[in-house]
């Protein structure tokens, strides 16, 4: 594989591009706006497989956990390559309950986590406040997920863009890919202004916009949809200094070393609507204030709505598609930042060696192919 076109300059596209360019591949990446300013920029940077464990998603959990274990080396290498910090923080995550109902739900989650040997710890409210004094005095209980870490996603994107450029990759900004022309030997991408690029492979990593591209049949396109998340940013001011990620029943708080405090997020099926609404902000602010009341006096510095790429089964879509020469790396839903190292490593490996690793095999795009759903008898 000598040349690859990447459609989408979020954390997934940039990191795949970086891995390929490191191996001498000619990488051309296209973003419809400034690279790294889409959904990944609007995320919270949480690396939280334990806290976000869902009862029905054990295979995805193993994948998430493996990606988490690759983060420390990934950070070291990326920071060295880019000369920039990504603010990797290891204080851990506190999942808290603020009433009887949420304490019951938290206990069920904790029992399930322990059944699957997750290294989480049950704490009384008092024990939790000892490690995180800004938690509300009335909180009953907490689960401490010490391995759920975080990065500053905006610093991550800046570092990845820099590392990709340093490795020789080319980033085309404000260059929307309108059409992909699948082909086994020389697939191509055609931009809005008619410019046509072809290479040995095309990687579609356009997140929630992955179905917007023309040239691929409807059934072969990845089944992703936008899931809206409204968030806001506060600026921490002395003496307020939250250190842990805190997840309450209705909101999470993710403090960055720069003083940015990210609060999110709604989960809404609203198509491509990115309006910020009073109700959306009210819900997440109230949820955050219930568990960390000290945010009350902090200044609001930004509000936004991002679009998560939710696949039909909420797992990522990784590997060769039914469109010849076109590979998908999309559908990361709530876990795009967490899944960056494993996606970049395993997609680059697939392109460079032809080997589909056991890690990505369960997430193949062909699981959605019509013949997989209706096998011929
Ligand atoms: N992973 C955080 C979110 O999707 O809101």
């Amino acid at each position: 594989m000598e040349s690859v076109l990447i459609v989408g300059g979020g954390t997934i596209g940039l990191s795949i591009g970086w891995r390929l360019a490191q191996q001498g591949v000619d990488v051309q990446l296209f973003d419809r706006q400034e690279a790294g300013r889409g959904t990944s920029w609007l995320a919270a940077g949480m690396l939280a497989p334990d806290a976000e464990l869902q009862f029905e998603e054990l295979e995805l959990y193993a994948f998430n956990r493996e990606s988490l274990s690759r983060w420390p080396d990934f950070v070291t290498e990326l920071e060295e390559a880019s000369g920039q910090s990504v603010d990797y923080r290891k204080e851990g995550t506190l999942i808290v309950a603020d009433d009887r109902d949420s304490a019951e739900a938290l206990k069920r989650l904790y029992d399930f986590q322990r059944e699957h040997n997750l290294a989480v710890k049950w704490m009384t409210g008092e024990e939790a406040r000892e490690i995180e004094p800004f938690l509300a005095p009335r909180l009953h209980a907490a689960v401490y997920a010490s391995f759920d870490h975080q990065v500053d996603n905006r610093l991550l994107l800046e570092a990845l863009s820099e590392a990709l450029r340093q490795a020789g990759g080319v980033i085309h900004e404000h260059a929307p890919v309108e059409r992909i022309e699948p082909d086994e030997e020389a697939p191509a991408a055609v931009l809005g202004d008619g410019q046509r690029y072809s290479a040995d492979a095309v990687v579609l990593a356009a997140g929630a916009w992955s179905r917007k591209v023309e040239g691929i049949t409807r059934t072969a396109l990845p089944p992703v949809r936008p899931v809206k998340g409204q968030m806001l940013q506060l600026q921490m001011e002395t003496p307020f200094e939250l250190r842990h990620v805190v997840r309450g029943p209705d909101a999470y708080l993710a403090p960055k070393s720069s003083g940015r405090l990210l609060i999110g997020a709604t989960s809404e099926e609203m198509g491509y609507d990115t309006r910020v609404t009073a109700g959306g902000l009210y819900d997440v602010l109230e949820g955050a204030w219930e568990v960390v009341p000290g945010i009350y006096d902090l200044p609001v510095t930004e509000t936004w709505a991002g679009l998560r790429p939710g696949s039909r089964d909420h797992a990522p879509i990784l590997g060769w598609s039914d469109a010849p020469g076109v590979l998908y790396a999309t559908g990361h839903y709530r876990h795009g930042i967490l899944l960056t190292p494993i996606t970049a490593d395993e997609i680059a490996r697939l392109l460079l060696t032809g080997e589909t690793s056991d890690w990505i095999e369960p997430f193949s795009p062909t699981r959605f192919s019509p013949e997989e759903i209706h096998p011929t008898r």
Side-chain angles (χ1 to χ4, degrees):
M1 187 73 49
E2 284 171 13
S3 57
V4 173
L5 308 178
I6 299 179
V7 182
T11 187
I12 299 301
L14 289 168
S15 59
I16 293 170
W18 176 44
R19 283 295 188 229
L20 292 171
Q22 280 178 314
Q23 299 301 319
V25 176
D26 172 0
V27 173
Q28 310 268 338
L29 180 146
F30 303 88
D31 198 283
R32 61 194 182 92
Q33 51 181 11
E34 201 180 327
R37 290 295 188 279
T39 299
S40 314
W41 183 259
L42 305 175
M46 295 178 296
L47 313 176
D50 288 357
E52 294 203 1
L53 176 66
Q54 299 290 319
F55 294 108
E56 69 284 7
E57 289 180 349
L58 285 176
E59 192 162 57
L60 182 57
Y61 172 72
F63 191 60
N64 288 348
R65 200 58 216 246
E66 172 65 17
S67 195
L68 180 72
S69 75
R70 297 186 191 191
W71 260 98
D73 288 347
F74 185 79
V75 167
T76 306
E77 200 183 337
L78 179 59
E79 289 186 340
E80 199 177 309
S82 64
Q84 300 180 17
S85 162
V86 300
D87 191 27
Y88 178 52
R89 293 184 61 163
K90 296 189 270 193
E91 287 92 339
T93 296
L94 284 157
I95 315 160
V96 297
D98 66 354
D99 59 16
R100 222 184 134 118
D101 278 354
S102 59
E104 282 296 319
L106 187 63
K107 184 72 176 53
R108 276 198 305 277
L109 174 69
Y110 174 73
D111 289 343
F112 184 69
Q113 288 169 324
R114 292 300 302 146
E115 253 171 55
H116 293 89
N117 298 318
L118 272 60
V120 288
K121 186 172 175 219
W122 184 265
M123 288 181 167
T124 62
E126 206 173 311
E127 285 165 340
R129 273 184 299 279
E130 266 169 36
I131 64 166
E132 186 49 79
F134 289 96
L135 291 178
R138 62 188 191 82
L139 294 184
H140 298 272
V143 168
Y144 180 38
S146 60
F147 291 103
D148 277 8
H149 298 159
Q150 61 162 330
V151 289
D152 185 324
N153 47 301
R154 295 189 176 179
L155 298 180
L156 170 71
L157 291 158
E158 281 164 3
L160 281 171
S161 298
E162 180 60 24
L164 172 55
R165 287 196 177 100
Q166 294 271 353
V170 178
I171 301 177
H172 302 262
E173 301 191 305
H174 306 287
V177 170
E178 208 150 80
R179 192 170 75 249
I180 291 177
E181 295 177 354
D183 186 272
E184 206 64 67
E185 301 294 316
V190 182
L191 306 192
D193 64 6
Q195 282 191 77
R196 185 178 184 280
Y197 293 79
S198 85
D200 295 333
V202 173
V203 177
L204 180 58
W209 288 266
S210 298
R211 283 183 75 79
K212 289 277 187 190
V213 71
E214 291 169 18
I216 298 177
T217 60
R218 219 177 114 71
T219 49
L221 278 170
V224 283
R225 68 189 196 287
V227 182
K228 177 177 177 180
Q230 298 191 48
M231 292 185 62
L232 64 150
Q233 176 181 287
L234 309 181
Q235 182 62 35
M236 291 191 280
E237 289 178 340
T238 323
F240 183 95
E241 194 200 354
L242 195 69
R243 291 180 56 249
H244 298 80
V245 172
V246 177
R247 303 178 73 101
D250 302 309
Y252 54 72
L253 302 95
K256 308 301 173 190
S257 300
S258 62
R260 296 197 310 131
L261 175 59
L262 306 180
I263 296 185
T266 61
S267 203
E268 303 165 69
E269 303 275 353
M270 298 284 289
Y272 290 92
D273 173 2
T274 52
R275 281 175 304 176
V276 175
T277 63
L281 290 186
Y282 174 80
D283 286 347
V284 287
L285 261 182
E286 186 188 36
W289 173 78
E290 296 272 4
V291 294
V292 182
I295 63 169
Y296 196 82
D297 292 318
L298 301 180
V300 177
T301 48
E302 215 179 307
T303 61
W304 63 83
L307 299 176
R308 308 173 183 92
S311 74
R312 203 179 290 152
D313 59 8
H314 288 166
I317 303 174
L318 304 170
W320 290 110
S321 72
D322 287 335
V326 184
L327 189 149
Y328 295 160
T330 186
H332 290 75
Y333 192 38
R334 294 179 173 277
H335 306 297
I337 307 294
L338 168 64
L339 290 175
T340 293
I342 198 165
T343 303
D345 291 349
E346 302 306 330
I347 293 293
R349 182 204 301 228
L350 175 56
L351 284 164
L352 292 166
T353 67
E355 188 189 317
T356 299
S357 74
D358 290 347
W359 285 114
I360 59 168
E361 210 273 329
F363 305 111
S364 163
T366 58
R367 73 187 186 277
F368 300 114
S369 303
E371 56 274 22
E372 294 282 312
I373 301 169
H374 302 294
T376 40
R377 292 164 213 272

